[in-house]
Amino acid sequence: MNALSKLVAVEAKLFLREPVSLFFVFALPLGLMLVFGLPRRGAAADDGGQHTELTFLPALALALTIGMLALFTLPMALGIYRERRVLRRLATTPVHPALLLIAQVVVNLAMGVAGAVVTAIGVRFLLDQPAPANVPAFVLAFLLGVACLFAVGLLIAALAPSARAAQSIGPALFFPLLFLAGAWLPRDQMPTVLARIGDYSPLGATVDTLAAAWAGESPALPQLLALAVTAVLGSVLATRFFRWE
């Protein structure tokens, strides 16, 4: 077993010991869908918005899971490691500190994928709704959403001077992004400028592309490009500003 696989195994064990993280990944998305989706179980598509509520809800639940992993769990874990000088101590060993970053991303990505599978199964069997109809587009949208949000999370980890700061910056960014995604107010009821910003925001574009693929449509290319550009830009900036101690 090489160094990276050992770090991944250790990080996975630490993640699974955190009930709050498991709640965000598995219980919260299912709870959200059951609370809002059961009253409309078996309902037909409604006739107006960007997507039907029955595809918007699971897409929002998945985006919520990815966003919490990216903006809450990942920056805080790396902030704690920096505060405790774990990264600095690793730099004096044959194991490069970058491997710990990779291990963190791998574990959080694996949990995000597991959460997506559980959400899809829940939609199919608990809400009696079909699984994602356009699977290739769904996978593409999911991966781009993960890349985009994780890049933002790594940028927070790079800029936050401490774990407490990361714990504050993440929610301060997450909840406005959640609002722009249409979690509380549908974007077709927002002012035009705010709605357009929401369309291309990390969570908004993730929700829309996932919902489109779930409904069997092709995700909008500009939104996919927005996710890809944000992922590249966030990764470059995170690499540029990341501090090991």
Side-chain angles (χ1 to χ4, degrees):
M1 184 180 290
N2 59 30
L4 179 58
S5 59
K6 289 180 180 179
L7 283 174
V8 169
V10 170
E11 292 299 323
K13 289 178 182 177
L14 292 174
F15 188 100
L16 293 173
R17 290 176 183 173
E18 291 291 335
V20 175
S21 298
L22 295 175
F23 171 79
F24 285 150
V25 173
F26 299 108
L28 185 61
L30 279 179
L32 175 69
M33 288 190 303
L34 290 176
V35 168
F36 293 101
L38 277 179
R40 299 194 57 187
R41 187 172 180 233
D46 71 9
D47 57 358
Q50 307 169 55
H51 301 289
T52 72
E53 184 177 341
L54 296 176
T55 57
F56 177 79
L57 279 177
L60 178 63
L62 283 182
L64 192 70
T65 299
I66 300 168
M68 286 186 166
L69 286 171
L71 304 182
F72 286 60
T73 306
L74 186 60
M76 190 167 63
L78 295 178
I80 291 173
Y81 286 152
R82 185 184 293 120
E83 277 187 352
R84 296 177 180 176
R85 301 192 174 183
V86 172
L87 300 177
R88 183 179 181 182
R89 289 198 295 270
L90 276 177
T92 64
T93 72
V95 179
H96 195 276
L99 291 180
L100 185 59
L101 300 187
I102 296 172
Q104 273 283 328
V105 171
V106 168
V107 169
N108 281 277
L109 175 59
M111 293 302 160
V113 171
V117 171
V118 170
T119 300
I121 292 173
V123 169
R124 178 67 186 89
F125 294 104
L126 297 180
L127 299 184
D128 196 23
Q129 299 299 324
N134 189 343
V135 176
F138 179 83
V139 172
L140 176 62
F142 179 80
L143 292 178
L144 284 177
V146 167
C148 172
L149 288 163
F150 274 37
V152 174
L154 287 173
L155 182 57
I156 293 173
L159 297 175
S162 65
R164 180 172 295 180
Q167 196 172 9
S168 301
I169 296 172
L173 183 61
F174 176 77
F175 289 108
L177 288 177
L178 195 60
F179 170 77
L180 290 172
W184 293 291
L185 180 68
R187 262 173 279 152
D188 55 10
Q189 297 179 21
M190 294 181 182
T192 304
V193 173
L194 197 61
R196 294 294 77 77
I197 293 173
D199 288 343
Y200 298 100
S201 65
L203 276 178
T206 300
V207 169
D208 282 355
T209 53
L210 287 174
W214 208 302
E217 304 169 6
S218 296
L221 182 59
Q223 289 182 309
L224 293 175
L225 289 175
L227 291 174
V229 169
T230 304
V232 172
L233 184 60
S235 299
V236 170
L237 292 176
T239 302
R240 170 65 179 82
F241 294 109
F242 194 85
R243 296 174 295 106
W244 296 111
E245 53 182 295

